[in-house]
Amino acid sequence: MEPKEGRTHSKRGSSSPIVERPASRATAVWSRLRNVPRTAGRNLPRLAGRRQPAAVMGFGIMLFFVVMAVVGPLVAPYGYAAQAISNRLHAPSGQHWFGTDQYGRDIFSRVLVGSRHVLVVAGSGALIAVLMGLTLGLVSGYFGGLLDEVIMRLMDVLLSIPPLLLAMVILGTVGPSRANVILVVGFLYIPMVARVVRSVVLDLKTREFVEAARLRGERSHYIMFREILPSVLPPLAVEASMRFSYAIFLVASLGFLGLGVQPPTPDWGLMVGEARTWFAQAPWVLLFPAGAVALLVVGVGFASDGLRRMLLPGGASQL
Amino acid sequence: MTTYLVRRFAFILLTIIAASLVIFVATRMMPGDVARVMLGQFATDQAVENLREELGLNRPAHVQYLDWLIHFLTGDWGVSLVNRLEVRGMVLQRLGNSLKLAALSLGIYVPLGILLGVVAALNREGPVDQAISGLSMALVGLPEFVTGLVLIAFVAISWRLLPANSSIDPDTPLREAFKYLILPAITVSLTSLGYIARMTRASTINVLRADYVRAAELKGLPRRQVLLKHVLRNSLLPTVTVVAMGIGWLIGGLIVTESVYGYPGLGRLLVYGIQRRDLILVQAVSMVIVTIYSFSNLVADILYGVLNPRIRLAD
């Protein structure tokens, strides 16, 4: 939402007597947000007013991992790939807080560096999906017709293959590099985002303010980006946060199966998968990366749920 | 309704065929020569040429695809490149094992999820609800390899109650295989349990708000009867479709869980096929999974329409 004054792109629009232009962009966006019935559920005041300890905790956990991702690699006591075979499978101690793994690598350092890795991979993947899905959903919903039909049927085809399966097959074929994992995650989640965006656009298209813009003679791209997009943002933000949490889950699962990024990348899922053999002997090798994945995914899930309650109170029931 | 069903069914078939193209392309996107990549760097030229011949790689791509699709549809799924066995028998056997695991998991998480969801809804905003809601939200987020390993650590290694490894002979009869199925089934269940519980809670809360429930209460019906006859019956309708919609999660969960326990199901076979670059096997497994998934989505859509007349069927 940009606060700058509403400067119209179309000359006809500014002098149009049909609708009065709102005073500022910010108030226009705000009033639009409030006019979307899907966000104006009857329980709006109650939910918005309620404190959400789980969401606060979720955002706290996310913040914690973001800080770790930023400073982690700088403060990590050892290199994430530094091996010391004589030091292998040491229990947690003052020297190695989380112990060492089967190659004598410091698990604490690997978990720290791994947080940057997972946030970058899952974050970029989710970002690609959101940008592509937003574009396709907007175009599809706004223009409708044959274009809509083609885009949505393509999305249906992608949705007919379980994401983990398609990710495994593609990565098994093209080879599991970091860039490939990001691209595959981004590609897989496009249909989910596109569907959400499209359904909101279809709903908005019939609203008075869009109708008014059309009557003013605004161009399609103006209506799409300046009139419709702002109202798409709240559901899009919720969807983006959900995609992010699923992406972390997916990246970790792929790593665990050995089909994600390859060693010696400190991918948490990969660390767990590699260390399985030493489970009974040295549980800490698995415990810390597994705990980190669990904490992060659950944290993002809580935050995402909080975001949904905050932005889409009426839709709180749809998981 | 019949027209709708026919249209949906035809549409699903088209989708599966389109998905088969995606799978075909995805398994053939290897950089360089497919046969060379599959056999590895040290294969002789003769071996590579033989494989090219066997896979029909010297033909145009669309001919290869159509040939593969027609053979698949007529039940000829090809021969594994690794062990030279008929892929079809192997895949169907593993499918049977995965279905056993899936059935046991469904038997655990559906009733338990509904129970938790209803209890949470009845205690709305109270401590019980908060505990159940928090727990189910956490469960939804936990990857199967984390919950699986925790279960192995306690139940199998510390308490020695159940086997930690389920890599049994694929032909083991159910009676003997059962104890190897319990831990994997619990692992698969935990993620979906949270999902079902959350959805049931939401739908039950919606029903509890409805006027007819209030009317039933006001006319003095016993609470028990209101709950069983008015609330449960209506709140479980959406849950039925949620179960069908959750099949996608179930499949993903099965793939990871089977790898955690080494259980000889379809997911384990898929991972094996990908690791060995056995594209014939990977294609067959993928097609089976996509077919099951598509039809479970169809069932979800139909149930949703049937059970909830307010939803328009044509969209």
Side-chain angles (χ1 to χ4, degrees):
Chain A
M1 285 171 247
E2 34 184 345
K4 74 176 176 215
E5 286 294 305
R7 187 173 57 81
T8 45
H9 288 270
S10 156
K11 276 174 194 141
R12 268 184 296 169
S14 54
S15 58
S16 166
I18 299 170
V19 230
E20 215 174 300
R21 300 287 304 169
S24 78
R25 202 71 220 166
T27 50
V29 166
W30 177 237
S31 66
R32 232 170 269 153
L33 277 177
R34 299 184 44 152
N35 283 334
V36 183
R38 86 169 45 233
T39 65
R42 53 187 156 166
N43 43 6
L44 176 65
R46 192 182 49 75
L47 275 167
R50 209 181 87 197
R51 279 170 57 238
Q52 296 189 39
V56 173
M57 199 173 79
F59 280 110
I61 293 172
M62 264 174 77
L63 192 68
F64 169 73
F65 278 102
V66 169
V67 172
M68 277 209 348
V70 175
V71 302
L74 306 175
V75 300
Y78 300 86
Y80 71 86
Q83 300 189 5
I85 294 295
S86 57
N87 237 346
R88 65 199 294 267
L89 299 177
H90 270 221
S93 64
Q95 212 164 21
H96 298 282
W97 290 359
F98 291 178
T100 61
D101 69 4
Q102 62 276 21
Y103 300 111
R105 295 175 300 198
D106 181 52
I107 294 172
F108 178 64
S109 304
R110 286 177 65 74
V111 171
L112 267 184
V113 178
S115 61
R116 175 180 290 187
H117 161 80
V118 69
L119 289 184
V120 167
V121 173
S124 321
L127 190 68
I128 292 175
V130 165
L131 292 179
M132 294 293 298
L134 172 64
T135 314
L136 288 176
L138 267 181
V139 168
S140 194
Y142 185 76
F143 291 110
L146 185 66
L147 187 66
D148 176 37
E149 196 65 25
V150 170
I151 293 178
M152 282 301 129
R153 292 302 78 80
L154 279 176
M155 299 293 107
D156 283 339
V157 171
L158 277 184
L159 282 172
S160 71
I161 309 177
L164 182 63
L165 170 69
L166 191 52
M168 287 168 70
V169 171
I170 296 179
L171 288 173
T173 311
V174 298
S177 74
R178 196 172 142 114
N180 285 347
V181 174
I182 294 177
L183 288 176
V184 165
V185 170
F187 175 67
L188 288 180
Y189 288 154
I190 292 173
M192 294 81 165
V193 182
R195 275 194 167 181
V196 168
V197 172
R198 175 176 173 273
S199 70
V200 180
V201 173
L202 284 182
D203 192 32
L204 291 167
K205 220 164 64 164
T206 54
R207 285 292 141 69
E208 288 92 345
F209 67 86
V210 176
E211 202 59 37
R214 206 172 288 144
L215 287 174
R216 287 202 303 270
E218 302 286 9
R219 283 161 202 276
S220 305
H221 66 86
Y222 175 87
I223 300 178
M224 258 196 283
F225 290 105
R226 303 296 292 257
E227 301 284 349
I228 292 182
L229 184 61
S231 306
V232 173
L233 289 181
L236 184 69
V238 173
E239 184 61 24
S241 67
M242 273 174 67
R243 286 304 130 210
F244 182 49
S245 88
Y246 288 151
I248 297 169
F249 198 113
L250 183 63
V251 170
S253 297
L254 286 169
F256 173 78
L257 293 172
L259 299 169
V261 284
Q262 296 299 295
T265 316
D267 179 273
W268 294 336
L270 179 65
M271 288 168 74
V272 175
E274 279 189 312
R276 256 193 302 174
T277 333
W278 288 274
F279 189 17
Q281 196 186 339
W284 56 88
V285 187
L286 275 79
L287 191 69
F288 293 103
V293 179
L295 191 62
L296 179 58
V297 183
V298 171
V300 175
F302 279 19
S304 162
D305 196 67
L307 205 60
R308 176 189 297 281
R309 284 163 188 251
M310 226 152 52
L311 295 176
L312 313 171
S317 62
Q318 47 177 266
L319 192 89
Chain B
M1 187 67 196
T2 320
T3 338
Y4 171 77
L5 281 182
V6 171
R7 241 186 44 213
R8 277 301 290 170
F9 191 76
F11 176 67
I12 287 285
L13 289 183
L14 282 179
T15 310
I16 293 176
I17 289 178
S20 76
L21 183 60
V22 175
I23 289 168
F24 187 81
V25 174
T27 47
R28 296 280 176 109
M29 289 194 299
M30 296 178 191
D33 181 11
V34 175
R36 170 70 65 187
V37 175
M38 287 169 67
L39 290 174
Q41 267 188 312
F42 304 107
T44 61
D45 287 345
Q46 186 57 49
V48 172
E49 191 46 49
N50 288 347
L51 184 61
R52 290 188 67 84
E53 197 54 49
E54 187 189 330
L55 294 176
L57 291 178
N58 298 323
R59 299 170 301 164
H62 65 277
V63 176
Q64 290 183 40
Y65 167 68
L66 286 176
D67 187 54
W68 168 73
L69 183 64
I70 289 166
H71 275 103
F72 186 85
L73 293 177
T74 52
D76 176 11
W77 296 359
V79 172
S80 161
L81 297 172
V82 177
N83 56 19
R84 296 279 141 194
L85 288 174
E86 277 287 332
V87 163
R88 184 150 162 247
M90 197 159 42
V91 169
L92 292 181
Q93 176 201 46
R94 301 302 187 91
L95 173 66
N97 284 341
S98 283
L99 289 179
K100 282 178 208 160
L101 181 52
L104 187 58
S105 309
L106 281 166
I108 297 174
Y109 75 72
V110 173
L112 207 56
I114 291 174
L115 183 72
L116 286 178
V118 171
V119 169
L122 292 179
N123 294 288
R124 186 153 181 233
E125 313 295 331
V128 177
D129 176 29
Q130 304 234 318
I132 292 178
S133 297
L135 180 74
S136 47
M137 222 173 352
L139 286 180
V140 167
L142 285 178
E144 289 82 5
F145 66 86
V146 175
T147 44
L149 289 169
V150 170
L151 284 175
I152 291 179
F154 287 101
V155 183
I157 296 180
S158 297
W159 305 334
R160 301 189 175 280
L161 290 177
L162 288 165
N165 193 323
S166 306
S167 52
I168 48 175
D169 185 319
D171 283 322
T172 315
L174 185 58
R175 187 183 294 270
E176 286 165 49
F178 190 72
K179 71 173 179 183
Y180 295 96
L181 278 168
I182 300 174
L183 276 188
I186 295 176
T187 308
V188 175
S189 295
L190 286 176
T191 310
S192 299
L193 175 69
Y195 180 64
I196 302 285
R198 293 191 63 181
M199 298 302 278
T200 308
R201 174 184 180 272
S203 67
T204 308
I205 286 175
N206 275 338
V207 174
L208 284 172
R209 280 208 210 106
D211 290 336
Y212 59 82
V213 171
R214 169 182 269 232
E217 264 166 9
L218 288 179
K219 75 181 177 196
L221 282 185
R223 186 164 171 76
R224 194 186 139 79
Q225 205 176 342
V226 175
L227 285 183
L228 287 177
K229 290 234 163 122
H230 294 80
V231 177
L232 261 191
R233 213 176 254 190
N234 287 294
S235 70
L236 289 190
L237 294 185
T239 307
V240 176
T241 65
V242 167
V243 171
M245 281 192 287
I247 298 295
W249 290 32
L250 180 61
I251 292 172
L254 286 174
I255 295 176
V256 177
T257 306
E258 287 177 0
S259 289
V260 172
Y261 292 92
Y263 180 73
L266 215 48
R268 183 82 203 91
L269 190 64
L270 177 70
V271 175
Y272 171 85
I274 290 175
Q275 282 164 350
R276 297 296 181 91
R277 294 188 161 277
D278 188 343
L279 102 195
I280 305 286
L281 185 60
V282 173
Q283 285 168 344
V285 175
S286 306
M287 283 304 291
V288 169
I289 295 179
V290 166
T291 309
I292 295 176
Y293 185 49
S294 294
F295 278 99
S296 68
N297 280 340
L298 175 69
V299 172
D301 278 3
I302 294 173
L303 284 178
Y304 205 64
V306 171
L307 299 178
N308 192 348
R310 281 162 295 183
I311 301 293
R312 276 178 305 140
L313 285 178
D315 185 38

